[in-house]
Amino acid sequence: MKKLFLAFSFLFSTGIVVAQAPSGTTYNANTRFEQLGGTLPTPNTFRTASGAPGKDYFQNKADYDIKAELDDVNQRIIGSEIITYTNFSTDDLRYLWLQLDQNLFQKNSINALGKTGGVNPQMSSTQLNGMNSPSSVNTTITSEKEYGYKIKSVKDLKGANIPYTINGTMMRVDIPLSLKPTIATSIKIEWEYNITEYYGRSGYEFFEKDGNYNYFIAHWFPRMCVYDDVSGWQNKQFLGQGEFTLPFGDYKVEITVPDDHVLGATGECQNYTKVLSKVQQQRMKDASSSKTPVILATQAEAEERMKFKSTGKQTWIFTAKKVRDFAFASSRRFIWDAMQTDVYGNGKKIWSMSFYSKEGNPLWEKYSTRVVEHTLRSYGQHTIEYPYPVAISCHATRGGGMEYPMISFNGGRPEADGTYSEGTKYGMIGVIIHEVGHNFFPMIVNSDERQWTWMDEGLNTFCQYLAEKEWDKEYPARRGEPQDIVPYMKTEKSQQVPIMSSSDNVMFLGPNAYAKPATGLNMLRETIMGRELFDAAFKEYARRWAFKSPMPADFFRTMEDASGVDLDWFWKGWFYTVEPVDQDLTEVQWYSLDTQNPELSKADIKKIDEAKAKTMSKIRDKTDIEKSVVEADPSMKDFYNSYDRYAVTEADKKKYETYKSSLSPDDQKLLESGMNYYVLKIKNKGGLVMPVIVQAVYEDGTTEDFRYPAEIWRLNDVEITKTIPTKKKVEKFKLDPYMEIADIDAANNSFPKEPEAPTKFQLMKQRSVGPQGLNPMQEAKKNDAAGVGSSGRN
């Protein structure tokens, strides 16, 4: 940096520094800090301007009495249900809409017919078969079976048929009389369907070695659609990506399965004394007072059941109140462990449970149930306390997961030899936290998943990020840190859509609906609002909308209402656009006050002159010119060859004292403070406004941070100038030193400019490497077998 001396002009009577804008300066008036206004729905008596439910807010209720059988021979569900639907709206409902999500797998589904893509020179059989498979999420369905619901009948409770129309994954039931406000009606439906292979949400996994199945059964019965004040009937087709929008209700479910199966489900089992052995009942009693998991159904017992498949049946009965869905898992291969603990210290115990087959061990026995309990505790601290009596994690295949009330299906499978990679371990813990955490969003805070994926996935991923850190401070979280979203934010804008896009239209669902909103919430908590304000507002949102159905505007408004922070600029930029953050520190000017003190000014002039004298010509002259004329003949010297031009004269001192006497004591103090004034010019290259965080690195090696709110851009969102006064001299300035704002180009964040890190290259094109394809546990196991010590070699 170059040093400039400038005599500042002060308006001493007011103490205000007067700065004149250069002629021709223009400012970019922008709307980034205008309120969302008409972008959000107009507040009304259903949903208020504060973000809280209004006095006329309503939600209808759907109660279910279900009897179903799992056909383990044919992989089929046969069931009947009585739905009692209560209309709490102010509208007359002439018909009811139900969801038939299994129809996603029909050959003529919208999802199958809507696929696009061509043939490439090299394609696998899976890819080719998948081009015309019924579902984009399942390419393994064969043509031997018909998939989707077979609706046998729709009747009233007197046995009379009720007309119905099936439209893809939706069914309209034309009830004979309009359903008036506050009135309930009941319908009885009989159905069956063939279970698909597990596709990430539901289905079976077949184990060829022992000929048994693990079943993970969800969206398995005709379910009521939501009718609300925003959309009327939410009857958008199920295309596989946008998930489920459902009303709350009470459930009684009787599930008949082979009598050697172990079964876990939403709700509380009402007949453990009939379906469990005496030994298992005693283990459950032990688990009810244990702080560590107790195995209720052991691996040895599971292996015995697999050898002798029973042909008998038994029925498990479950009830669940105030839930929006029901799912279950069943298999003779399951190991089952549990513990019942006082998670919040309020005297109310909650069951944490896990169901898994031997392929999940040793990971599942060690971690799953402990992670379930931890998730309830962590989420309860950041939102509301878990209201249900049980939370279950089931091991379903290698990766991914899916959530339902009180039960989730989670991946994470070790290798066949029991070893596992670090990624497998943390991936399993992360997916269990995530899917169990979904009990809070959207199972309790019941957002519209069919329309807004981010309202459950994004909020839940943020809470997952907090829970992961609370599980292990060094947890390798994949989503939440701003720096982790940078690769996505750097992609072409044509490859992105705003977060505020409907679920089925989102490209790159993981970055867009999970990571980007979670990162945004983390930036709000750490940088924009601060933890205290954010945490209070986030808890208030969960409290207001627990067991209700919020919309995006309800979240945005509540966060502002409960914190007193205007965040419209943030919602507009982060949620409604695909603009990235790219702040560029283009220039730094260094100023100091001209004190007019000759003791200082002449010393500074001397330093400058001495530096200017170190030219190559003068360095070479010392040896090339043997003796100058003046050196050879001293008579050529006069006064100017001997006087000290940098010496302070009496005239200099008198002039300085006269100047000082003209200043007030405060002015004199400022003049002698030795302050440095650094003028930073920062460009907003990315377009998205964010707070500006500047770190100064001083000559003595210490640092100081300067934080400025996003409102610093409100009068000019293209370029700003900021003056930073410091007593110390600065060697370097850096923007976003703690990687808080997802800046996509860190290379332009420093002044003076310097590479952030060297680009690596290899000395040799090929070089010898160690064993490939083994995780560290497998490598250690191999070394042990070969007699290799922990620090030795063969």
Side-chain angles (χ1 to χ4, degrees):
M1 304 177 199
K2 68 176 183 177
K3 183 174 181 180
L4 303 176
F5 291 87
L6 179 68
F8 284 106
S9 173
F10 291 90
L11 183 60
F12 292 117
S13 60
T14 62
I16 300 174
V17 180
V18 178
Q20 296 293 330
S23 60
T25 298
T26 59
Y27 293 102
N28 181 45
N30 64 83
T31 60
R32 297 184 187 278
F33 292 91
E34 293 297 329
Q35 298 300 286
L36 278 169
T39 303
L40 299 182
T42 303
N44 51 49
T45 57
F46 300 107
R47 298 169 191 270
T48 68
S50 70
K55 66 183 180 66
D56 293 327
Y57 174 82
F58 72 88
Q59 56 190 35
N60 295 346
K61 186 182 181 188
D63 299 326
Y64 296 83
D65 187 343
I66 304 174
K67 294 179 174 61
E69 180 176 346
L70 169 62
D71 180 352
D72 186 40
V73 175
N74 299 297
Q75 291 72 60
R76 188 172 54 143
I77 294 287
I78 307 102
S80 67
E81 64 183 346
I82 296 174
I83 304 174
T84 301
Y85 187 73
T86 306
N87 179 19
F88 289 108
S89 76
T90 56
D91 306 323
D92 291 357
L93 303 181
R94 296 182 54 205
Y95 44 77
L96 308 178
W97 278 100
L98 282 76
Q99 304 180 55
L100 303 180
D101 299 302
Q102 290 296 323
N103 287 0
L104 175 74
F105 303 106
Q106 292 177 334
K107 293 180 180 179
N108 63 346
S109 69
I110 293 177
N111 193 54
L113 299 177
K115 286 185 178 181
T116 59
V119 176
N120 298 322
Q122 292 183 330
M123 294 186 73
S124 68
S125 59
T126 299
Q127 291 173 317
L128 287 168
N129 292 334
M131 295 172 65
N132 294 300
S133 68
S135 168
S136 63
V137 292
N138 188 345
T139 61
T140 60
I141 294 177
T142 67
S143 59
E144 297 175 3
K145 286 186 176 181
E146 292 293 330
Y147 291 90
Y149 282 107
K150 178 181 179 182
I151 301 297
K152 297 178 178 179
S153 66
V154 179
K155 302 176 181 288
D156 63 21
L157 297 189
K158 294 181 179 179
N161 289 326
I162 302 176
Y164 64 90
T165 301
I166 295 176
N167 175 20
T169 60
M170 293 290 161
M171 179 171 71
R172 191 187 70 239
V173 176
D174 299 319
I175 51 179
L177 297 174
S178 293
L179 190 60
K180 302 292 183 181
T182 74
I183 303 301
T185 189
S186 295
I187 58 175
K188 183 175 181 179
I189 304 174
E190 294 181 308
W191 81 93
E192 65 180 53
Y193 72 90
N194 291 316
I195 304 169
T196 67
E197 290 186 35
Y198 188 77
Y199 77 102
R201 301 192 193 281
S202 179
Y204 63 77
E205 181 179 10
F206 177 62
F207 295 85
E208 189 173 358
K209 286 185 178 181
D210 53 67
N212 283 285
Y213 295 81
N214 288 351
Y215 294 96
F216 307 97
I217 305 301
H219 48 90
W220 56 285
F221 57 97
R223 302 175 296 174
M224 290 299 307
C225 294
V226 164
Y227 183 85
D228 63 22
D229 60 287
V230 176
S231 304
W233 285 108
Q234 171 49 292
N235 53 9
K236 290 182 65 176
Q237 294 287 326
F238 178 43
L239 303 181
Q241 181 162 287
E243 291 181 351
F244 312 113
T245 303
L246 300 156
F248 286 108
D250 299 335
Y251 285 71
K252 180 184 178 184
V253 182
E254 300 179 26
I255 308 167
T256 300
V257 297
D259 62 8
D260 54 358
H261 270 215
V262 172
L263 189 147
T266 298
E268 292 181 287
C269 184
Q270 303 299 303
N271 64 336
Y272 275 147
T273 57
K274 291 186 177 181
V275 295
L276 299 185
S277 68
K278 296 294 184 183
V279 173
Q280 290 171 332
Q281 292 176 50
Q282 180 58 49
R283 293 170 183 165
M284 178 164 273
K285 184 178 179 181
D286 296 340
S288 68
S289 58
S290 176
K291 294 183 179 179
T292 57
V294 174
I295 296 180
L296 309 182
T298 69
Q299 180 170 326
E301 291 167 346
E303 289 173 348
E304 284 299 310
R305 291 193 298 268
M306 287 189 282
K307 291 178 183 176
F308 307 101
K309 297 179 185 178
S310 174
T311 57
K313 301 177 183 180
Q314 67 182 7
T315 299
W316 299 59
I317 302 173
F318 289 85
T319 60
K321 293 186 177 298
K322 218 170 183 180
V323 295
R324 53 169 251 165
D325 201 358
F326 191 101
F328 69 92
S330 182
S331 177
R332 61 177 55 88
R333 306 181 84 258
F334 279 159
I335 304 163
W336 176 19
D337 69 44
M339 61 182 183
Q340 189 182 35
T341 56
D342 185 354
V343 176
Y344 304 115
N346 59 9
K348 177 185 175 184
K349 285 189 173 185
I350 302 171
W351 280 105
S352 298
M353 295 181 175
S354 296
F355 293 80
Y356 48 95
S357 51
K358 62 182 181 180
E359 289 77 15
N361 274 336
L363 276 176
W364 277 74
E365 182 177 325
K366 182 172 183 177
Y367 290 114
S368 179
T369 296
R370 293 290 298 272
V371 174
V372 171
E373 184 198 42
H374 166 72
T375 303
L376 301 182
R377 182 177 292 108
S378 175
Y379 277 63
Q381 292 171 349
H382 295 291
T383 60
I384 61 170
E385 292 184 357
Y386 186 69
Y388 296 129
V390 63
I392 299 172
S393 169
C394 300
H395 174 41
T397 72
R398 288 192 175 275
M402 189 61 200
E403 73 280 358
Y404 302 97
M406 301 186 227
I407 189 170
S408 56
F409 307 150
N410 306 313
R413 182 170 293 177
E415 302 299 326
D417 62 1
T419 64
Y420 50 86
S421 67
E422 186 178 28
T424 297
K425 170 191 170 181
Y426 286 111
M428 185 202 80
I429 293 174
V431 76
I432 292 173
I433 291 174
H434 184 89
E435 305 306 342
V436 173
H438 268 306
N439 278 288
F440 296 82
F441 306 101
M443 302 306 160
I444 298 169
V445 181
N446 185 26
S447 57
D448 182 350
E449 293 183 279
R450 190 61 54 86
Q451 179 66 26
W452 305 112
T453 296
W454 72 265
M455 286 196 74
D456 70 294
E457 298 295 357
L459 272 61
N460 184 47
T461 300
F462 167 69
C463 291
Q464 173 191 350
Y465 167 74
L466 299 179
E468 287 173 344
K469 294 191 300 178
E470 292 165 0
W471 174 266
D472 183 346
K473 291 180 181 178
E474 302 303 319
Y475 195 98
R478 296 189 305 118
R479 293 166 174 161
E481 288 286 354
Q483 61 184 309
D484 294 333
I485 198 65
V486 166
Y488 173 66
M489 300 298 288
K490 291 172 75 171
T491 60
E492 292 291 332
K493 290 185 178 180
S494 62
Q495 299 299 309
Q496 299 183 43
V497 296
I499 293 174
M500 289 294 292
S501 300
S502 61
S503 300
D504 287 313
N505 297 331
V506 174
M507 298 185 292
F508 303 108
L509 195 71
N512 180 282
Y514 292 68
K516 189 177 178 182
T519 303
L521 296 183
N522 189 33
M523 290 193 294
L524 287 176
R525 186 173 190 253
E526 300 291 2
T527 303
I528 297 167
M529 301 171 69
R531 291 189 175 189
E532 182 179 1
L533 287 175
F534 177 90
D535 289 351
F538 195 68
K539 286 177 72 72
E540 177 62 13
Y541 169 72
R543 186 200 65 78
R544 283 180 176 180
W545 290 97
F547 298 106
K548 297 182 177 66
S549 298
M551 293 293 165
D554 303 318
F555 176 69
F556 298 153
R557 286 167 170 159
T558 293
M559 292 301 292
E560 296 189 31
D561 178 70
S563 68
V565 180
D566 181 3
L567 297 171
D568 278 26
W569 64 269
F570 181 77
W571 310 132
K572 288 169 71 174
W574 194 254
F575 281 75
Y576 283 88
T577 79
V578 296
E579 289 183 318
V581 179
D582 184 4
Q583 295 179 3
D584 183 359
L585 180 54
T586 59
E587 184 180 354
V588 176
Q589 296 176 345
W590 180 16
Y591 295 88
S592 67
L593 283 169
D594 185 352
T595 66
Q596 301 187 44
N597 183 347
E599 300 281 357
L600 301 176
S601 60
K602 287 199 170 182
D604 286 336
I605 292 171
K606 183 178 181 180
K607 288 180 181 179
I608 293 172
D609 288 349
E610 287 175 346
K612 288 181 178 180
K614 295 178 180 178
T615 66
M616 183 54 65
S617 294
K618 290 187 177 182
I619 291 172
R620 289 172 175 167
D621 286 346
K622 288 181 180 181
T623 56
D624 292 353
I625 301 175
E626 293 183 5
K627 188 176 284 189
S628 68
V629 171
V630 172
E631 289 174 326
D633 184 359
S635 67
M636 294 295 98
K637 294 181 179 180
D638 66 1
F639 169 79
Y640 292 105
N641 292 101
S642 59
Y643 96 106
D644 184 359
R645 71 186 66 194
Y646 304 109
V648 178
T649 67
E650 289 300 321
D652 293 334
K653 293 178 181 179
K654 185 176 180 180
K655 182 180 179 181
Y656 176 58
E657 291 302 323
T658 301
Y659 170 66
K660 279 181 62 178
S661 65
S662 69
L663 301 178
S664 69
D666 287 343
D667 298 336
Q668 292 184 31
K669 185 177 180 181
L670 178 61
L671 198 66
E672 296 170 357
S673 66
M675 293 294 291
N676 298 286
Y677 296 88
Y678 294 93
V679 179
L680 282 64
K681 290 187 177 180
I682 305 170
K683 286 186 177 180
N684 177 14
K685 290 179 66 176
L688 188 60
V689 294
M690 276 290 169
V692 175
I693 305 105
V694 182
Q695 184 177 80
V697 181
Y698 295 117
E699 278 184 331
D700 62 6
T702 62
T703 62
E704 185 175 2
D705 298 333
F706 302 89
R707 292 179 172 272
Y708 307 105
E711 283 78 4
I712 197 171
W713 301 98
R714 70 188 186 280
L715 299 180
N716 188 336
D717 67 340
V718 175
E719 184 176 32
I720 56 172
T721 300
K722 186 64 180 179
T723 300
I724 298 178
T726 72
K727 283 195 173 183
K728 295 182 180 181
K729 292 180 181 179
V730 178
E731 284 193 342
K732 178 180 178 180
F733 283 100
K734 185 174 184 179
L735 299 178
D736 191 27
Y738 305 109
M739 298 168 285
E740 299 178 59
I741 59 173
D743 193 310
I744 65 170
D745 186 3
N748 62 19
N749 284 1
S750 297
F751 195 97
K753 304 295 185 186
E754 63 180 33
E756 291 296 308
T759 300
K760 301 289 187 180
F761 67 95
Q762 292 185 351
L763 182 61
M764 297 177 64
K765 194 169 186 180
Q766 291 183 342
R767 57 196 176 104
S768 145
V769 295
Q772 298 295 306
L774 298 180
N775 64 51
M777 290 180 68
Q778 288 173 320
E779 182 63 18
K781 190 172 181 180
K782 177 183 175 183
N783 289 342
D784 288 343
V788 180
S790 60
S791 60
R793 298 172 61 103
N794 273 10

